[in-house]
Amino acid sequence: AEEIKVGALFPLTGPAAVSGQNCVNSVLAAADVINTKNPDIKAPLAAGEGLVGGKYVIKIVPADHQGKPDVAKSEAERLYNQEKVFAVIGCYNSSATKPASAVAERAKKIFLCGCSSSAALTERGYKYFFRHAPTDAIESVEFVDYIAYLNKEKNAGIKTLGVIYENTEFGKHAADEARKAAKRADLEIVADVPFNNGATNLNSEVQKLKSANPDAVFGAALGGDYSLWVRTMKQVNWLPKIAINYCTGYQNPAVQKELGSDGNFFMGGMGYSPELAKKFMPEAIKIQDKYYTPRSKQPFDSDSIQEAVMLMVLAQAIEKAGGPDTEKVAKIIQTDEFPSVMSLSGRVKFSSDGQNAEALSVITQLHEQKYQTVFPLKYKDSEPTLPMTPWDKR
Amino acid sequence: MALLEVRDLTMKFGSLLANSDVSFEVEKGTIVGLIGPNGAGKTTLFNCVAGLYKPTSGRVVFKGVDVTNLPAYKMARLGVARTFQVVRPLKEMTVFENIMVGAYMRTSDSSKAAAAAERCMELCFLGDDRDRPAGGLTIGNKKRLEVARALATGPELLLLDEAVAGLTSTEIKEMVEVIVRLRREGITILMVEHIMEAIMPIADKIVVLASGKKIAEGAPADIVKDPVVTTAYFGEKFSKRLKERKEGA
Amino acid sequence: MAAMLEVKDIHCSYDHVPVIQGVSLEVNEGEIVAILGANGAGKSTTMRTIAGLMHPTSGSITFNGIDITKMPASSSIKRGLSYVPEGRRLFAKLTVRENLELGAFTSADRTGVAERLEEMFELFPILKSRAAQTAETMSGGEQQMCAIARGLMSRPKLIMLDELSLGLQPSLVEKVFETVREIRKRGVTILLVEQMVQEALEISDRGYVLQTGRIVHQGTAKELLNSDEVRRAYMGM
Amino acid sequence: MSNFLQVLIDGILSGLLYALVAAGLSMIWGVMDVINFAHGEFLMVAMYICYWLGFIFKVDPLFTWVAAGIFLFILGAVTYKWIIRRSLGKAAMAPLLATFGLSMFLKNLCMNRFSPNFRLLSGTLLDGKTFEIGGAIVSVPQFVTGIFSLVVVVALYWLVKRTRLGWAIQATAMDKEAAELMGIDTEKIFLLVFGLGGACVGVAGGLMTTYLAVHPEVGGLFSLIAFVVVALGGFGSIPGAFAAAILIGLVESFTGFYVAAVLKYVAVFAIYLVVILVRPKGLFGW
Amino acid sequence: MTLTKKDKLWYGFIIVAAILPCIPGVIGGGSFFGHVATMVLLYAAMAQSWNIISGYCGQVSFGHSVFFGIGAYAAGLAVVTFETLPWYGVPLGMLAAALVSILISYPCFRLKGHYFAIATFAIVEIFNRLFMIWDAVGGALGLDYPILPDGWENFSWSDTKTGYYIGALAIFIVVFGVVRWIERHRMGYYLLAVREGQETAESLGVNSTIVKLGAMALSAALAALCGAFFAQYNYRVDPPMVMSLDMSMKFVLITILGGVGTFWGPFLGALVLIPLQEYTRAYLTHFGAGIDLIIFGIIIIVVMIKEPRGIMGLISYFKKDKAEEGAKS
Ligand SMILES: Nc1ncnc2c1ncn2[C@@H]1O[C@H](COP(=O)(O)OP(=O)(O)OP(=O)(O)O)[C@@H](O)[C@H]1O
Ligand SMILES: Nc1ncnc2c1ncn2[C@@H]1O[C@H](COP(=O)(O)OP(=O)(O)OP(=O)(O)O)[C@@H](O)[C@H]1O
Ligand SMILES: CC(C)C[C@H](N)C(=O)O
Ligand SMILES: [Mg+2]
Ligand SMILES: [Mg+2]
């Protein structure tokens, strides 16, 4: 069969390398689903071998951008021009996704983005750029909705908010959206704490939170910083009533394993968790066990799985177009709706700016390393522990 | 008016008095010798005149202008060039390039500078080593390089700090010849030297320093006889030898 | 009997630039031998090579019958070969006493060290009164004394003294040369390098004259003192 | 007020950690005038050692720091023998750049072998333990590290100032050749100093695993701070490095809390520049 | 006028480099080779501008990414914030970099050896972190270029590298040309003299402060020129990308590998390191993460141990060998 090459451009080295490698594994898992016969998996294109009746197979070309935008840009060029990939999936870091997708747009090539969350990505008016993940804007609104719900139904009395975020593209965007959402919901922001990622300690940052003592905290921290943050809060023996996190650290199973019971009762927005999947995405679990876990030694996480979704979307579009014709495929991705076994909402549909209109994330709370869904009500499977159990009572 | 006047110059390093109230004059077109025991403060005095050190007190007057405290490069531009006692070749540069640095002071035109450098190089017998890195020269050639480089700046006053130390007798003679030739060309010279045969025959005047103070000043013939200088510098034995030699000659 | 120190046809270079080109010399037990020569002739290099601070590219050095050609400096001193380098090289921040004690670093015997210290203070009374002063604050003459004493602390059989008179007032020079004689009386063999040719030869038994890395004259002190050539080239006569 | 006390204690504790991390670097710099650019990666290696010992054999880092210290001693000595000795004296920056190469090598080797995952030992003996002083909370792991830091700094100081070996080290630092003439085997001293420098950072790394996650990039900022600490303290002065480390810990902590957290490292680096421009040889430099 | 051997090399190089884009497919069409060739020229120029102050003048700075970054920001601000042509940003960026460099280095030149080196580390970190929070220049978000029409006006091309290559070649010629001119004139001699012995230089009438500041300002301005190109090339500027220790080290390593303080050193270094970096990253990924950087680390160690004068050192070593052979026979 003829190969259709797809680039998988992620941070395979550098500070975000853990997640980057998960993302590549996730894309590879999806490619396996497509390329081989998987009658056991009930997903589009799983049963058959390859695309268009076996005429094409997907070949993934991994590439490393090291977390650096300039490298992402030149690797994207290399993938399109030299490797002749049909499309690129990437780049995890919004800061890398931006220049890499600009390359695609200029060359009129398809660029697919799973989990980069900066809202700005889909505000550029690009025609060949599609993103699966809910943006920070969407998540922020959901977070404050949840707080409103808690205040109303549970008498939570949450009036003040603190935000702690890494001072990067990701963190700053998240914080911006948090501020906007908080303003609309009349939450007073009493602590606004950016920090340098990769810091040697977060003592003063946490001390600032503690002395402002907000009722709720929104956090945006990647893996190592997330666990440092949690541990430092334990050290100073302080917790807000409720702490909700944007992506990464919180939803990374490896990080949670290391935090152990210290990670309990934190909340976060996610699109995937093994617990959710058991209920709503049984097929995703099959893919995970068959193709992902053998590679990554851990379950899917909410970031990486979205990269797999984007490959499935691309494959379905190619199938419909009957072959790798960029214009046709882009048009189909833009207009059609795709069933997706690995998306919580079960389908993907892009609005005109390339943002997945069906993007959905739920708020979960961690109990004994299990992500229990607490909001929205439709997906809710357990009552939240509110306020968080203090450190000395655990 | 003297070309260079040093007035009550005092230089302290912490509590150490390296120069204390030293005064003397250097007339245009003469060769003045500066002698004295090790550590007497001769090099320090040079450094004060050349602008490398700022004297603690006292004045340095060059061509009637007070130049105390002027930085070294300005002194050089005024026409005061110096050599270093502990040679300081610009090691990774060739002999010619070393001299070019000096030559560029008076002109920014490369060919003019090269011509000047070439002349100074020949004058100091360095032609054979033109393109060798200066770091690899023998000590004698390094000494000559010091002189050539200083000369290339086209000075009016040349300060030579032990320029012939380390040279063999014949080489010393050559260098003395060069110095005399420079005087003929109108360059005034102030030189520090421990080797009497190099300085006594050509100096018009000798200034003697000891422990930072000027202890004598006068014509070479008088200095040799001065008992103060003998005890402080020559020592009994050497004086005796000097005398013997005179008588022998 | 073989000489105490035998240097046979050594060649040395810095960065591939040859500096010593075939120097041979010997020192017998109990002698004072002088190496003379102009600046840059290679006197210090010869001594550094014997001391083991650098190694010859060819040739050999034996000391008391043992080949020390490739031995590092730290081992030669254990065999009784001590070197007082040009420019004193005292440990500037340490006190006189500490400097001296370091001189006996190789000796594990503490009481022995105390004894030697006393000996040195006897030889150089001025050091005793300055024992607690840091080396850098001492006058040049005192520093030179301290350096010699440090060199003697290891109880060497042979001590090499490089430019003892450097930086010393004429009166001090005389004192230092007297000290050298005194040291010899105590049974230490001496190899010295000097610029003050006349003075050096006056206290030496034999001498070698070095010129651009080669021995050009050798003989007893008297012979050299009377040689016209030496007088002309190195004594300015 | 309690904030102030807390911030003060945090500052001192992180200062003590920096002192521990920098002590070895300071010694190497002082004796050999070499900056070990791979210092941060040495720290990382030590952390990995204790992490794996804790993870596989379940030995607490409270004990395994000894192993890390010993291994890092060897690593330091080997680095000296294979890299420093061969690049020393060849060109001004050769040892610095060679160790920069070493740091790239070590960092990416660990990345390649151990994956870039953040690894944190949970359930260690000291994990999460705290006590209170006047309303301020002190974390036991950091406190213990602080104590170790004091012990190591005092021990190093004692070693250098009061022992025969220390003399030999000082003599070597002041004048290598003269030291050799005293019968000191300076090669051995250099080897030992590099080993000791490694051992110090080994102990630091070992203890850090009680409360910090290890990953291939962990050394970066620590080594930069260690450089600044050492230079701020002054050429090879151990008390200087100690004082500088505490100063930097406090600057970091107070800026972080009272000014802005994102500015804390700006303040750290700026304080270095300010001090060094007033005293070009550092606080205790000579 | 007769051509020296050096001249012949120089003109020969320019001719070859200028012919490359005329051969279809080699540079154009967005080929990876085109990218690598462009980067070689850019980094060579950047390393050369570092070489002016650190190699020729001996003030080893690890802070040059600050000036590179200022240039990049100038171009980026012109395009993104002020929505004009990048060309306006270039001279302003060069000027700003020169001014900043003078302000920084005037006090820092008092520091010696490692104190100076660490001060330059500190400066990079400070600039990096300040730019990260300075919202007027995009803060942590950086500046992202909009998609503009291709062409020289916007200095932006989507599907060909030819324009960029020619741009990089022009920068290369400017920077190397400046250094060549300097080498043959008073300034060059003064730079070396200050490196080899500041006091000696002063005694020969050289105002070493002015020489060092001048060299630093020139070096910074040229670095800013390279930075502006880098921003154009990547459609983006952010602090970790252009103002980081990593970036600074790259300039240092390239120059050192090639031969510090030599004319062709920076070019040779870039010629080896950049393709090595680009091709290993592109084609060795399957050996696992970081393989390219592991190899890189080893190369650096080996070079520093074996021949710290870099490739130029190797060349002169072989030349000497030959010369000696010739002399013998
Ligand atoms: N930079 C300095 N700092 C402290 N002391 C100094 C400095 N330079 C010179 N001295 C001291 O000043 C005194 C005079 O030194 P100077 O070099 O002027 O002597 P000199 O007459 O040139 O001796 P020589 O004949 O040996 O060259 C000496 O005691 C010396 O140690
Ligand atoms: N470290 C070095 N590197 C390169 N060349 C050197 C070095 N040390 C000495 N030389 C050169 O070796 C030659 C011999 O030097 P050496 O020091 O042995 O002479 P010396 O006879 O002791 O002279 P002096 O009377 O000045 O002490 C000189 O030409 C000198 O320039
Ligand atoms: C946390 C991630 C999934 C990536 C992050 N949202 C970013 O855009 O950089
Ligand atoms: Mg002098
Ligand atoms: Mg000598």
Side-chain angles (χ1 to χ4, degrees), chain C:
Chain C
M1 205 201 87
M4 184 180 218
L5 176 74
E6 254 188 279
V7 176
K8 274 196 202 132
D9 194 31
I10 54 167
H11 291 251
C12 308
S13 45
Y14 292 104
D15 288 331
H16 308 290
V17 180
V19 169
I20 300 293
Q21 313 176 36
V23 164
S24 301
L25 54 85
E26 38 178 78
V27 182
N28 297 309
E29 187 153 6
E31 272 187 321
I32 298 182
V33 175
I35 302 178
L36 312 169
N39 273 303
K43 306 179 300 285
S44 301
T45 308
T46 306
M47 284 205 155
R48 290 164 54 81
T49 310
I50 297 171
L53 285 173
M54 51 191 287
H55 299 296
T57 47
S58 69
S60 74
I61 305 168
T62 51
F63 180 63
N64 277 332
I66 300 162
D67 184 1
I68 58 164
T69 315
K70 294 265 176 263
M71 214 177 259
S74 52
S75 316
S76 333
I77 192 170
K78 290 178 196 149
R79 310 201 177 271
L81 182 63
S82 177
Y83 173 44
V84 179
E86 193 174 7
R88 304 175 195 127
R89 310 288 287 265
L90 292 175
F91 300 111
K93 303 282 164 192
L94 299 185
T95 64
V96 170
R97 180 188 294 275
E98 286 167 335
N99 265 285
L100 292 183
E101 288 183 10
L102 268 169
F105 187 81
T106 49
S107 147
D109 165 21
R110 292 282 96 191
T111 56
V113 171
E115 230 169 71
R116 288 178 215 182
L117 260 178
E118 280 315 309
E119 244 171 74
M120 288 307 128
F121 288 154
E122 184 201 326
L123 192 61
F124 303 102
I126 191 136
L127 293 184
K128 186 161 189 174
S129 55
R130 302 299 177 95
Q133 199 173 325
T134 56
E136 62 180 348
T137 62
M138 303 216 303
S139 85
E142 291 157 355
Q143 286 189 19
Q144 191 68 62
M145 302 290 171
C146 187
I148 299 173
R150 190 180 65 177
L152 288 170
M153 279 298 285
S154 62
R155 289 238 165 98
K157 299 192 185 91
L158 181 131
I159 188 164
M160 297 189 285
L161 306 169
D162 197 350
E163 306 232 4
L164 278 187
S165 65
L166 197 81
L168 295 191
Q169 308 262 329
S171 58
L172 279 176
V173 173
E174 271 165 45
K175 168 130 186 42
V176 168
F177 283 118
E178 269 160 37
T179 312
V180 172
R181 283 210 190 94
E182 174 68 26
I183 294 169
R184 194 239 303 252
K185 271 192 210 140
R186 295 179 184 223
V188 183
T189 309
I190 293 161
L191 176 63
L192 57 83
V193 157
E194 251 311 323
Q195 292 268 302
M196 300 203 149
V197 174
Q198 175 115 21
E199 285 80 354
L201 286 176
E202 274 165 15
I203 62 162
S204 307
D205 301 313
R206 292 190 301 114
Y208 294 87
V209 178
L210 211 57
Q211 196 177 307
T212 53
R214 292 191 181 82
I215 303 267
V216 290
H217 295 287
Q218 65 182 77
T220 63
K222 246 199 206 106
E223 285 165 9
L224 291 177
L225 266 175
N226 294 329
S227 146
D228 280 347
E229 216 171 320
V230 173
R231 288 168 69 91
R232 206 174 330 106
Y234 300 101
M235 293 183 246
M237 297 178 189

Side-chain angles (χ1 to χ4, degrees), chain B residues 42-43 85 161-162 192:
Chain B
K42 305 180 296 288
T43 301
Q85 175 180 5
D161 197 352
E162 304 208 14
V192 167

